[in-house]
Amino acid sequence: MYGEEPLFGLLNRIGTPVEGHRPWPRYRLGRDGWLRLIEGLAGNGWSLLGLWGEPKAVHAAFREDFSGDVAVVSLDCPQGRFPSLSAVRPAANRLERAAHDLYGLVAERTTDPRPWLDHDAWGVRRPLSEQPAAPVPSPGPYTFLPVEGEGLHQIPVGPVHAGIIEPGHFRFTANGETVVRLEERLGYVHRGVEGLMQGRPVAETARLAARISGDATVAHSLAFARAVEAALGVEVPARAVWLRALMAELERIANHLGDIGAICNDAAFAFMLAQTSQLRERVLRTADACFGHRLMMDRVIPGGVATDLPERGAGLLLELVAELRKRFPPLVAVYDGKASLQDRTVTTGFVSAELVTRFGAGGHVGRASGRDQDARRSPGYAPYDELNFEVPVLTEGDVNARVWVRIREVEQSLSLIEQIVTRLPAISRGLDHPSVPLEAGRGGEGMALVESFRGEILTWVRLDGEGMVARCHPRDPSWFQWPLLEAAIGGNIVADFPLCNKSFNCSYAGHDL
Amino acid sequence: MLKHILTSLTGGPVTEAAPAPADAALAELAGQLDKAAKVRLGRSLSIREVDAGSCNGCELEIHALNNPIYDLERFGIRFVASPRHADVLLVTGPVARNMREALIRTWDATPGPKWLVACGDCAVSGGLFAGGYACVGPVEEVLPVDLRIPGCPPRPADLLAGLLALLETSAGR
Ligand code: SF4
């Protein structure tokens, strides 16, 4: 593409492949190689998939969107410093700041060196580095970016918001009603997930992965499980593979239904929320009846699934699909036909195609702005290669488009559930449960890309020789969506912020970790 | 749209009968509430929810309480936007240290008489997050807790039972 050197071409020249990293290659670069990579990134379209630290190393993952090739690059930083990617990949900035706050790694020539997750409240600095440091004795306040101009005023909002939502701080600079700039400050729900995962057995770590972001518990569990299985070269039973997809699609529908209603509710159209929340409840109850948990938490585990579908499950699921197919379209017609509602959602919170590409934003945020990317299709994973589905993509980039992407995805997921239920493979011979035990005492490195309802999750894991988790980095899709919310609200009125925010529905917990 | 309104009007309510107030919760609350407060509150409670480091799973189920099937408001219990309007803080999460101050300030902004409910395993015990550098652990290490609703996340029915118990106790005597 663009006549540039292919991903693997460049990496083979500037780096050396690391053994035992699956399923995609990992390259160790020297400092020169890393600088060459930055040079290359300035002129090519490779998407940044993630960036994470270790006490003496930094890793980044990329995808060449055209070919779908994926690779991880690593740089040892014995001095705790590495050249920043933020100038060529702005989405790297917050990840680098997180790596700094947790591991003490300094990004040289960064576009923004301020702390991100560290709010001077932990009682320790760089807690995951080899030498954690004492806290700053009397920390000053966080500095927000300066905004200058006539007639501007600031509105600070949060961290505690006026609703049942997660905490974060938004600093609006407005000119009258119009937002001139929004600056986010996140990290309030940092629970130290990556630190807690370190040194734990896989099964315990899986429970943490399930609680990274409760609304995407299935997807995060799946990403963790797939990364571990890649590291160990484990093949899970076919029935488990299909049941995982079943749960993932139920999760997608439940969240989209909730979001569609909540977005309309924020446009003062409460009817829709009252309706879709009933449908959502219907999905959760079916999930509960089939898998014993309304959100299906801890049901996807490394090696397979924790609960098999009960005998009556297939019937319940097909009933659910039939009922939603009956009750959902009339609601869509209401949404489509309400001029007062469209007045709020059409053209509001616009994000350009250029911006979603530059930040590599996925999910409904990317696909409503023309970025045709879905991890279920590229890189793709089983059983989706055997299922028929479309990935809806729109180009308008506004709140309305993000609603429509969700509507279309609900329809697609209903079809997927139907296909899965009718074609679900029987349990493999010799197994009494759709899971296989993980062989103890083996190590390896693995990575997984999984499409949550919100977009693509990357999870990277290294297991040590005893099979314990040496390092795990789960990168929620929100990392690449939050920065775009700042852009989406610019030029809109303050009162439209809840609407824009809901239409993104980024995760705070998944981002803050 | 008209059709929807007609169906809603003729179809009867979708709301389900309430669960019995949780016995354990009633027992926990007995004796904790002061008489004057009960008289003042009558049979209504205003709740301010505070996420102090939740994974958002608890929030999803708290949201469900507002759907027409559980319809929390029929009991006189409602969620309010400001702690200044609240009688109860419903706290989730293992108190992320980055949220500790905001939680305390929210509690301080809530006028008395007031109660604090710890919702979910994280808020009750710190859950899987206790012991790390980033979380304090159970909410009771930061603020006095009047009622604990365990679960990960608690089911809406459990939340409802717990909150009804709070209501009964606060109005009962
Ligand atoms: S109790 Fe469970 S659902 Fe609730 S915040 Fe904690 S981990 Fe999430």
Side-chain angles (χ1 to χ4, degrees):
Chain A
M1 199 184 171
Y2 318 129
E4 77 217 12
E5 186 170 10
L7 180 67
F8 293 144
L10 176 68
L11 295 182
N12 277 325
R13 265 193 314 117
I14 61 175
T16 30
V18 178
E19 288 284 311
H21 187 277
R22 283 180 292 255
W24 300 288
R26 175 161 89 87
Y27 292 86
R28 181 172 286 123
L29 309 187
R31 202 181 154 87
D32 288 347
W34 188 268
L35 290 168
R36 286 290 306 283
L37 173 74
I38 293 178
E39 234 171 75
L41 287 171
N44 66 35
W46 306 345
S47 299
L48 177 75
L49 293 179
L51 184 148
W52 60 98
E54 284 196 88
K56 289 270 180 281
V58 63
H59 310 277
F62 292 94
R63 169 170 48 223
E64 189 179 68
D65 286 334
F66 186 68
S67 64
D69 289 341
V70 171
V72 176
V73 294
S74 309
L75 174 67
D76 287 336
C77 1
Q79 311 300 328
R81 312 177 72 84
F82 66 97
S84 168
L85 300 181
S86 59
V88 286
R89 285 295 175 278
N93 177 255
R94 289 178 178 178
L95 288 161
E96 290 177 351
R97 288 158 73 183
H100 174 264
D101 292 356
L102 299 179
Y103 290 93
L105 297 174
V106 176
E108 297 163 4
R109 303 174 68 107
T110 169
T111 51
D112 185 347
R114 292 174 299 166
W116 186 239
L117 299 178
D118 187 349
H119 292 196
D120 290 314
W122 299 335
V124 59
R125 271 183 303 145
R126 39 176 211 262
L128 303 182
S129 69
E130 277 172 1
Q131 281 164 333
V136 182
S138 45
Y142 184 75
T143 33
F144 286 90
L145 297 175
V147 189
E148 282 164 22
E150 238 175 81
L152 298 181
H153 62 281
Q154 288 209 331
I155 313 170
V157 178
V160 178
H161 297 159
I164 306 170
I165 40 172
E166 307 183 73
H169 182 87
F170 299 115
R171 183 66 58 101
F172 296 94
T173 305
N175 188 340
E177 275 288 286
T178 310
V179 179
V180 179
R181 169 184 272 166
L182 161 64
E183 190 181 343
E184 296 155 358
R185 187 184 185 207
L186 303 174
Y188 288 92
V189 283
H190 176 73
R191 294 156 291 165
V193 171
E194 287 166 289
L196 289 165
M197 286 175 155
Q198 230 149 286
R200 294 221 181 195
V202 164
E204 275 178 37
T205 312
R207 291 175 58 79
L208 281 164
R211 285 154 184 81
I212 288 168
S213 182
D215 46 19
T217 176
V218 172
H220 269 290
S221 294
L222 180 55
F224 176 72
R226 288 186 56 86
V228 167
E229 289 151 9
L232 297 177
V234 170
E235 181 119 8
V236 303
R239 186 173 172 86
V241 170
W242 286 66
L243 285 175
R244 289 169 165 193
L246 176 60
M247 290 189 230
E249 297 309 318
L250 283 170
E251 179 173 88
R252 194 177 324 276
I253 292 181
N255 282 301
H256 282 349
L257 287 172
D259 282 354
I260 293 166
I263 294 167
C264 295
N265 195 50
D266 277 342
F269 194 66
F271 167 82
M272 195 63 99
L273 181 60
Q275 295 292 325
T276 59
S277 62
Q278 288 177 51
L279 300 187
R280 178 183 153 86
E281 181 69 21
R282 186 75 178 74
V283 177
L284 298 192
R285 288 182 177 196
T286 307
D288 195 12
C290 290
F291 299 106
H293 192 287
R294 288 163 53 91
L295 306 179
M296 299 167 284
M297 209 172 244
D298 301 323
R299 276 14 184 203
V300 175
I301 51 168
V305 292
T307 31
D308 200 353
L309 190 66
E311 233 167 84
R312 64 195 177 103
L316 291 176
L317 287 159
L318 292 177
E319 261 169 46
L320 173 75
V321 170
E323 185 177 339
L324 290 183
R325 281 201 174 130
K326 201 170 103 221
R327 291 176 66 186
F328 187 55
L331 297 176
V332 175
V334 168
Y335 176 79
D336 203 20
K338 270 267 157 280
S340 60
L341 195 52
Q342 304 269 318
D343 182 49
R344 295 292 305 280
T345 59
V346 175
T347 72
T348 306
F350 172 74
V351 183
S352 70
E354 199 254 318
L355 215 49
V356 294
T357 309
R358 190 135 61 93
F359 278 78
H364 41 261
V365 174
R367 291 194 287 272
S369 293
R371 186 161 183 268
D372 187 2
Q373 167 59 34
D374 186 315
R376 291 174 295 173
R377 208 179 44 194
S378 170
Y381 47 96
Y384 292 101
D385 47 345
E386 293 180 54
L387 297 166
N388 290 320
F389 68 106
E390 278 165 26
V391 176
V393 179
L394 296 172
T395 52
E396 287 79 1
D398 54 6
V399 172
N400 184 50
R402 291 188 281 277
V403 171
W404 275 106
V405 166
R406 287 176 167 99
I407 291 172
R408 294 286 172 247
E409 287 185 8
V410 168
E411 296 162 358
Q412 291 298 319
S413 294
L414 287 174
S415 151
L416 283 167
I417 290 175
E418 195 175 43
Q419 294 175 54
I420 293 169
V421 171
T422 46
R423 293 169 50 196
L424 191 63
I427 195 142
S428 324
R429 208 177 294 209
L431 287 180
D432 48 7
H433 194 78
S435 71
V436 290
L438 302 182
E439 209 179 303
R442 266 184 46 214
E445 294 178 342
M447 185 165 113
L449 293 165
V450 163
E451 190 74 16
S452 75
F453 84 96
R454 192 175 264 129
E456 184 176 63
I457 296 171
L458 173 151
T459 298
W460 186 84
V461 71
R462 173 188 294 136
L463 303 177
D464 67 17
E466 258 100 68
M468 298 290 194
V469 175
R471 172 81 174 101
C472 176
H473 174 72
R475 197 268 306 135
D476 193 84
S478 307
W479 278 98
F480 301 150
Q481 297 167 339
W482 274 120
L484 301 187
L485 180 61
E486 296 186 342
I489 186 65
N492 289 256
I493 57 173
V494 178
D496 275 343
F497 179 69
L499 199 56
C500 293
N501 193 17
K502 254 300 142 32
S503 77
F504 272 62
N505 189 19
C506 301
S507 170
Y508 298 72
H511 166 280
D512 294 352
L513 282 178
Chain B
M1 184 76 206
L2 239 143
K3 230 173 78 201
H4 281 284
I5 296 172
L6 272 177
T7 346
S8 305
L9 285 177
T10 53
V14 293
T15 313
E16 291 184 340
D23 287 346
L26 271 175
E28 178 173 11
L29 285 164
Q32 285 182 13
L33 302 167
D34 138 89
K35 248 192 194 135
K38 286 156 216 158
V39 176
R40 233 171 100 179
L41 281 169
R43 281 190 59 92
S44 96
L45 279 181
S46 294
I47 303 180
R48 169 67 241 205
E49 198 269 346
V50 182
D51 173 341
S54 155
C55 76
N56 197 30
C58 281
E59 276 64 28
L60 292 178
E61 294 297 54
I62 294 170
H63 263 294
L65 291 179
N66 280 327
N67 76 30
I69 296 170
Y70 297 106
D71 189 20
L72 189 65
E73 288 211 18
R74 72 187 138 139
F75 304 108
I77 304 177
R78 60 196 187 105
F79 287 98
V80 293
S82 166
R84 302 217 186 273
H85 304 155
D87 310 306
V88 176
L89 282 198
L90 182 65
V91 182
T92 62
V95 194
R97 287 187 195 275
N98 287 354
M99 270 306 289
R100 189 173 175 274
E101 191 190 331
L103 173 63
I104 293 172
R105 283 210 215 169
T106 309
W107 177 246
D108 290 343
T110 311
K114 56 187 173 183
W115 292 270
L116 194 143
V117 179
C119 167
D121 288 350
C122 287
V124 170
S125 69
L128 297 181
F129 303 97
Y133 65 88
C135 295
V136 180
V139 174
E140 67 186 14
E141 289 201 10
V142 180
L143 292 170
V145 171
D146 298 292
L147 171 66
R148 294 166 185 82
I149 307 178
C152 183
R155 289 161 183 270
D158 299 335
L159 290 167
L160 205 50
L163 293 175
L164 285 179
L166 190 64
L167 191 63
E168 300 271 306
T169 324
S170 67
R173 278 166 297 159

